[in-house]
Amino acid sequence: SMAESALSLTFADIQSECAHFLGWDRTAANWTTNQNTDFAFIVERGLRAFYYPVISEDQPVYEWSFLQIEGTVTLATDDAQYDLPDNCSGIVLDNTVTNAADSDRRGLAKISEAEWRNLRAMETSTGVPRYYAVRGVAPVTNTAQRFEMLVYPTPTVTQNAQVLTYRYIFIPETLSSTNIYPHGGGRHSETLLEAMLATAEIKQDDDTDGPHSKRFKDLLISSIRWDLQMKALNRGGEGEG
């Protein structure tokens, strides 16, 4: 496998930079229990601020290209509801749900859960699914929110075992001494580090508009601009839509 770029941020880098900012011992092994607890909080909040940045009311969460992965749903007779992976954030990318083996068939159109229920109430149609919706599943004790995909029409025995593919935004694991590399790679390392320092700044100074918060916002704009360019290049140079 390829070696990781020397520009990629690591868990140890974040520990060191946050310790320097907060005036802690730069050697994490010497931290107190409270410092370890505070640092875990900073990492989780910082990752959320970077991975799921709120851009505007029109786009509540930016969809990073590096957090998009493919999933599959295997259709079953008389089944219109399918569990999505545990790491699914609930965001299935709009035009990505397609029939894996039949590229000539049109992809499924995204509708709301209410529209899905209305379709089923008006007409209990069966056959090849043409529409899909995503909804949250009632949480089970001690598990985070899970999601499911709803399809319409409901598959019959003819569609049994046919596969749908889709792309979704996943929820990464937090960082640790064993999971040392955040997603995004070297290109976004400065932005991610500022997300951590901005979180530390807010925790220490109770200042949501301090120097690190301002720098994080500026770097986030640059990172998103770069990611949009990558998306356009990977689609063969189509314009952003």
Side-chain angles (χ1 to χ4, degrees), residues 38-229:
D38 287 349
F39 180 70
F41 170 85
I42 287 166
V43 168
E44 288 174 17
R45 287 288 298 271
L47 286 176
R48 280 197 291 269
F50 173 66
Y51 286 152
Y52 309 109
V54 177
I55 308 306
S56 65
E57 289 185 10
D58 296 334
Q59 185 162 19
V61 175
Y62 178 70
E63 296 163 352
W64 293 109
S65 59
F66 56 80
L67 291 185
Q68 299 178 16
I69 54 177
E70 188 171 271
T72 60
V73 158
T74 302
L75 299 178
T77 306
D78 299 330
D79 190 356
Q81 300 168 222
Y82 299 89
D83 290 339
L84 290 170
D86 287 352
N87 69 351
C88 179
S89 65
I91 300 173
V92 171
L93 300 174
D94 288 8
N95 299 313
T96 64
V97 183
T98 58
N99 293 270
D102 192 349
S103 57
D104 293 335
R105 188 174 283 155
R106 183 183 296 177
L108 279 66
K110 193 175 200 176
I111 58 175
S112 68
E113 181 197 353
E115 290 172 307
W116 176 80
R117 279 191 273 106
N118 287 340
L119 282 171
R120 284 167 59 88
M122 289 188 303
E123 178 190 354
T124 53
S125 182
T126 57
V128 178
R130 300 191 308 275
Y131 303 97
Y132 80 96
V134 176
R135 74 173 172 192
V137 179
V140 180
T141 306
N142 295 327
T143 63
Q145 177 72 66
R146 299 287 189 264
F147 298 89
E148 64 181 355
M149 181 182 290
L150 313 168
V151 300
Y152 180 87
T154 301
T156 67
V157 68
T158 308
Q159 290 81 41
N160 186 57
Q162 286 187 15
V163 176
L164 303 178
T165 63
Y166 60 94
R167 292 185 71 76
Y168 68 98
I169 304 291
F170 76 96
I171 302 171
E173 296 293 327
T174 192
L175 298 179
S176 67
S177 55
T178 52
N179 183 35
I180 66 169
Y181 291 112
H183 294 276
R187 171 63 65 171
H188 301 291
S189 286
E190 281 298 307
T191 308
L192 183 55
L193 180 58
E194 283 301 322
M196 301 293 175
L197 293 172
T199 305
E201 184 174 66
I202 292 165
K203 184 161 184 59
Q204 174 158 289
D205 302 335
D206 197 25
D207 183 2
T208 57
D209 202 29
H212 286 296
S213 291
K214 287 176 178 172
R215 181 157 166 74
F216 170 54
K217 287 170 188 167
D218 289 341
L219 287 173
L220 186 61
I221 291 167
S222 297
S223 276
I224 288 172
R225 191 171 292 138
W226 167 255
D227 198 58
L228 288 169
Q229 285 181 309

